[in-house]
């Protein structure tokens, strides 16, 4: 690289001067400062050598020479250097005009320096050459490692994407001079991730090169400067590539038949069991809805809903069960994908069916009275041993299971047939209602029992004689006419019959 010179004139007119051109000297005109006349001279002016310096060179060295063609080698001309870095980075030999470096330079910090040169007559201090401006350029060397930008790289692509799909683009920069040699010319390559991914060498664009087989890949990309030639620098980065799920799987039940058991006394809302249809997808693509077809009797005894956390179908009891009435339920269950995508599967493949069988388990229950409560009537003068009524209780668990019944002392019950008979005389005027509790108890298993109340009404009969309330001593006044009532009042009679009974009577003397 050949340094070049920019000339700034400090005179009233433009003053051409001589510059060597590949060893030659151009003719020019010289004008001293303040002159109004042009003085012609031939082959006079600055003589330059190449002015450049390699960066990162710690050794002070001569990088060029400024020289006037007036310089005869007798040291009568003094050279002065000013401008950027003069005296600190660059120094000039005031006798020879040689310029040398004082310290090492870094092109990435400063790529060039603008300086000014003067040539003075050492005795008169008058300029023998006009002040001129020139540039020292710092020459680049490959001293910077490429660096990836915008790390970390994380990206995703839909699964089943076609080969050639763009996955991501990595970008690296090199601080070296892109205009000088190959120091900053970069090449990308794949260190890890083949054969599923590839990278374009010049652009860093990563593409899918074959269908990936896993959910996630760590693709390592390397960048080299100097077009990948030996001796250059390199760097690497990792690109995390995740395959995003698409709905390309339907739900599948693992069994054709699911069997559950539930006790007959289970409460409504009890969870009977769970079923699961497996979907190979994830997230929203794996969400499904379960439904039931009614059993043969269409009783709708069960319902099913989806557990949002596990995507299981939860079978729940919707109506009470009775082992003695129905011991088994068979129904069909269906799993339906909530977000079918016909780009990947036909619609019917987003559903699956299975069969559910629910067995009702028997639970020992107490005897059951056929009527609740009982209400009977009996006249108060009924004879002992009279049949008042009959109660009936049965054990629903075992056909013809014997039961034992107990009742109050006024009545007796046959423990085998439930016939209630009178064992104690009744008196309606004493007790007109009897409340009898009858208990039926199993004679086997757990001896469970239940009770029923019998209300027995005692009917009145005319079984009481009227009686005077007390002894009376009536008198009649002399002269009393027939039909005339004389005090005191007639005697009062009492009877034991209550209101509504037979209370009419006649008084005779």
């Amino acid at each position: 690289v050949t340094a070049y010179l920019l000339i700034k004139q400090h005179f009233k007119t433009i003053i051409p001067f001589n510059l060597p051109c590949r060893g030659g000297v151009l003719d020019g005109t010289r004008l001293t400062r303040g002159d109004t006349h042009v003085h012609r001279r031939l082959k006079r002016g600055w003589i330059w050598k190449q002015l450049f310096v390699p960066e990162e060179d710690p050794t002070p060295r001569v990088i060029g020479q400024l020289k006037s063609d007036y310089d005869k080698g007798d040291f009568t001309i003094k050279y002065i250097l000013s401008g950027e870095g003069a005296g600190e980075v660059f120094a000039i030999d005031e006798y020879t005009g040689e310029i040398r470096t004082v310290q090492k330079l870094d092109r990435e910090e400063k790529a060039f320096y603008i300086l000014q040169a003067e040539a003075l007559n050492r005795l008169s201090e008058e300029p023998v050459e006009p002040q001129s401006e020139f540039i020292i350029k710092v020459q680049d060397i490959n001293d910077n490692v490429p660096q990836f930008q915008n790390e970390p790289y994380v990206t995703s692509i839909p699964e089943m994407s076609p080969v050639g799909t763009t996955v991501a683009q990595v970008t690296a920069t090199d601080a070296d001079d892109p205009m000088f040699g190959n120091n900053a010319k970069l090449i990308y390559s794949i260190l890890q991730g083949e054969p599923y991914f590839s990278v374009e060498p010049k652009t860093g664009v990563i593409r899918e090169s074959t269908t990936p087989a896993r959910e996630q890949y760590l693709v390592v990309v390397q960048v080299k400067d100097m077009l990948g030639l030996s001796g250059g620098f390199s760097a690497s980065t990792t690109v995390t590539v995740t395959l995003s799920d698409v709905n390309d799987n339907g739900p599948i039940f693992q069994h054709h038949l699911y069997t559950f058991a539930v006790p007959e006394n289970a409460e409504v809302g009890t969870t009977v069991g769970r079923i699961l249809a497996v979907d190979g997808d994830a997230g929203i693509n794996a969400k499904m809805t379960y439904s039931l077809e009614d059993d043969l009797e269409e009783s709708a005894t069960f319902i099913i809903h989806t557990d949002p956390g596990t995507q299981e179908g939860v079978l729940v009891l919707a109506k009470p069960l009775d082992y003695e009435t129905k011991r088994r339920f068979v129904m069909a269950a269906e799993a339906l994908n909530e977000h079918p995508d016909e780009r990947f599967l036909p619609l019917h493949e987003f559903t699956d069916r299975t069969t559910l069988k629910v067995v009702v388990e028997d639970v020992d229950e107490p005897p059951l009275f056929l009527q609740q409560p009982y209400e009977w009537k009996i006249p108060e003068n009924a004879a002992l041993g009279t049949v008042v009524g009959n109660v009936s209780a049965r054990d629903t668990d075992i056909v013809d299971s014997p039961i034992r019944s107990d009742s109050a002392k006024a009545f007796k019950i046959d423990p085998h047939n439930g016939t209630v008979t009178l064992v104690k005389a009744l008196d309606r005027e004493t007790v007109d209602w009897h409340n009898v509790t009858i208990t039926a108890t199993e004679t086997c298993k757990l001896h469970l029992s239940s009770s029923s109340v019998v209300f027995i009404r005692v009917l009145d009969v005319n079984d009481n004689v009227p009686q005077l309330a007390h002894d009376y001593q009536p008198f009649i006044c002399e002269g009393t006419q027939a039909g005339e009532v004389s005090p005191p009042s007639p005697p009062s009679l009492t009877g034991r019959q209550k209101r509504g009974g037979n209370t009419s009577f006649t008084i005779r003397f």
Side-chain angles (χ1 to χ4, degrees):
V1 176
T2 303
Y4 53 95
L5 173 67
L6 296 180
I7 304 299
K8 287 186 179 179
Q9 305 294 344
H10 301 276
F11 302 96
K12 297 177 182 179
T13 59
I14 297 176
I15 304 175
F17 60 94
N18 296 331
L19 281 177
C21 180
R22 294 294 183 182
V25 178
L26 299 178
D27 290 339
T29 302
R30 181 175 181 275
L31 180 67
T32 59
R33 192 182 303 272
D35 286 350
T36 58
H37 295 87
V38 177
H39 301 275
R40 293 284 182 177
R41 70 179 179 85
L42 298 177
K43 296 181 180 181
R44 295 289 185 184
W46 286 106
I47 301 176
W48 300 91
K49 291 184 178 181
Q50 294 179 340
L51 298 177
F52 67 91
V53 56
E55 67 171 330
E56 303 298 341
D57 186 356
T59 304
R61 64 179 65 243
V62 175
I63 61 172
Q65 184 179 23
L66 302 178
K67 188 174 183 180
S68 169
D69 57 359
Y70 282 106
D71 191 347
K72 304 301 183 182
D74 54 4
F75 305 118
T76 59
I77 294 179
K78 179 181 180 181
Y79 296 96
I80 299 175
L81 185 67
S82 62
E84 295 179 338
E88 297 177 356
V89 180
F90 305 102
I92 191 170
D93 188 321
E94 66 177 33
Y95 296 100
T96 64
E98 288 182 339
I99 300 175
R100 65 182 182 276
T101 58
V102 177
Q103 62 184 26
K104 68 178 182 179
L105 293 86
D106 186 352
R107 190 203 67 85
E108 286 69 45
E109 290 184 3
K110 191 170 181 61
F112 59 88
Y113 294 81
I114 301 175
L115 298 101
Q116 294 79 36
E118 289 185 275
L120 303 177
N121 185 290
R122 191 175 295 276
L123 298 178
S124 65
E125 294 292 326
E126 291 292 327
V128 296
E129 297 287 357
Q131 186 183 60
S132 299
E133 187 176 89
F134 64 96
I135 295 175
I136 298 178
K137 186 175 181 182
V138 182
Q139 186 180 33
D140 183 52
I141 64 171
N142 190 18
D143 61 340
N144 287 281
V145 178
Q147 293 184 348
F148 282 97
Q149 308 297 307
N150 305 316
E151 291 182 301
Y153 291 98
V154 179
T155 186
S156 66
I157 58 172
E159 63 174 333
M160 301 182 67
S161 297
V163 172
T165 297
T166 297
V167 177
Q169 183 176 17
V170 295
T171 303
T173 58
D174 193 311
D176 291 319
D177 189 355
M179 305 301 295
F180 182 79
N182 297 324
N183 294 342
K185 293 182 179 180
L186 306 178
I187 291 293
Y188 299 92
S189 61
I190 290 282
L191 291 183
Q192 176 182 303
E194 294 179 330
Y196 303 105
F197 302 97
S198 61
V199 63
E200 293 183 358
K202 294 184 178 180
T203 64
V205 174
I206 302 173
R207 300 187 186 277
E208 182 181 321
S209 54
T210 188
T211 302
R214 300 198 310 268
E215 183 178 346
Q216 188 180 80
Y217 289 84
L218 299 179
V219 180
V220 180
V221 179
Q222 183 185 64
V223 63
K224 287 185 175 183
D225 59 14
M226 296 187 68
L227 293 176
L229 299 176
S230 60
F233 292 104
S234 66
S236 63
T237 189
T238 299
V239 182
T240 302
V241 181
T242 302
L243 299 186
S244 59
D245 184 57
V246 298
N247 199 357
D248 59 343
N249 292 282
I252 299 176
F253 284 106
Q254 301 301 297
H255 304 285
H256 297 296
L257 174 65
Y258 291 83
T259 302
F260 304 105
V262 57
E264 63 174 326
N265 63 348
E267 296 182 357
V268 172
T270 299
T271 296
V272 177
R274 290 172 174 256
I275 60 176
L276 176 63
V278 178
D279 191 313
D281 296 315
I284 191 173
N285 294 326
K287 288 188 175 182
M288 62 191 76
T289 300
Y290 294 89
S291 61
L292 287 179
E293 291 186 2
D294 289 337
D295 54 272
L296 298 179
E297 290 76 16
E298 298 183 354
S299 63
T301 308
F302 304 91
I303 58 175
I304 194 169
H305 64 83
T306 304
D307 185 329
T310 63
Q311 291 301 301
E312 293 176 302
V314 183
L315 187 65
V316 177
L317 182 63
K319 292 183 178 180
L321 299 172
D322 184 8
Y323 172 83
E324 288 70 33
T325 302
K326 188 175 179 62
R327 302 183 180 185
R328 186 180 69 171
F329 295 84
V330 179
M331 65 207 84
E334 182 180 73
L336 171 65
N337 197 291
E338 290 186 2
H339 304 281
D341 194 333
E342 294 186 77
R343 294 178 301 171
F344 304 103
L345 289 176
L347 192 60
H348 71 273
E349 293 192 23
F350 287 102
T351 62
D352 196 24
R353 293 166 61 88
T354 190
T355 301
L356 307 183
K357 180 180 178 182
V358 180
V359 177
V360 181
E361 296 178 332
D362 184 32
V363 175
D364 191 17
E365 299 169 303
L368 177 65
F369 282 92
L370 301 183
Q371 183 178 337
Q372 195 67 273
Y374 293 88
E375 186 174 338
W376 300 329
K377 298 177 182 179
I378 185 173
E380 62 178 328
N381 62 349
L384 298 181
T386 299
V387 175
V388 183
N390 183 271
V391 296
S392 178
R394 67 184 180 88
D395 188 345
T396 58
D397 299 311
I398 303 176
V399 178
D400 296 329
S401 174
I403 62 173
R404 183 177 69 252
S405 302
D406 299 321
S407 62
K409 294 180 180 181
F411 303 91
K412 180 181 179 181
I413 187 168
D414 188 319
H416 299 289
N417 58 26
T419 301
V420 179
T421 57
L422 182 64
V423 297
K424 184 180 180 181
L426 301 175
D427 183 5
R428 189 199 67 82
E429 286 71 37
T430 302
V431 178
D432 57 355
W433 282 92
H434 290 268
N435 298 335
V436 180
T437 299
I438 298 178
T439 302
T441 305
E442 290 180 336
T443 58
C444 60
K445 289 192 174 181
L446 302 178
H447 301 288
L448 300 177
S449 63
S450 62
S451 299
S452 179
V453 178
V454 179
F455 299 104
I456 302 176
R457 181 183 179 187
V458 181
L459 301 177
D460 184 48
V461 296
N462 190 9
D463 60 346
N464 291 284
V465 177
Q467 297 176 352
L468 290 174
H470 52 84
D471 293 335
Y472 291 89
Q473 295 179 355
F475 62 90
I476 299 174
C477 295
E478 182 181 6
T480 299
Q481 299 296 320
E484 184 178 352
V485 177
S486 297
S489 301
S492 61
L493 299 177
T494 62
R496 295 183 63 197
Q497 281 75 10
K498 293 184 178 179
R499 182 179 299 175
N502 185 8
T503 59
S504 62
F505 48 85
T506 302
I507 300 176
R508 291 184 177 91
F509 294 95

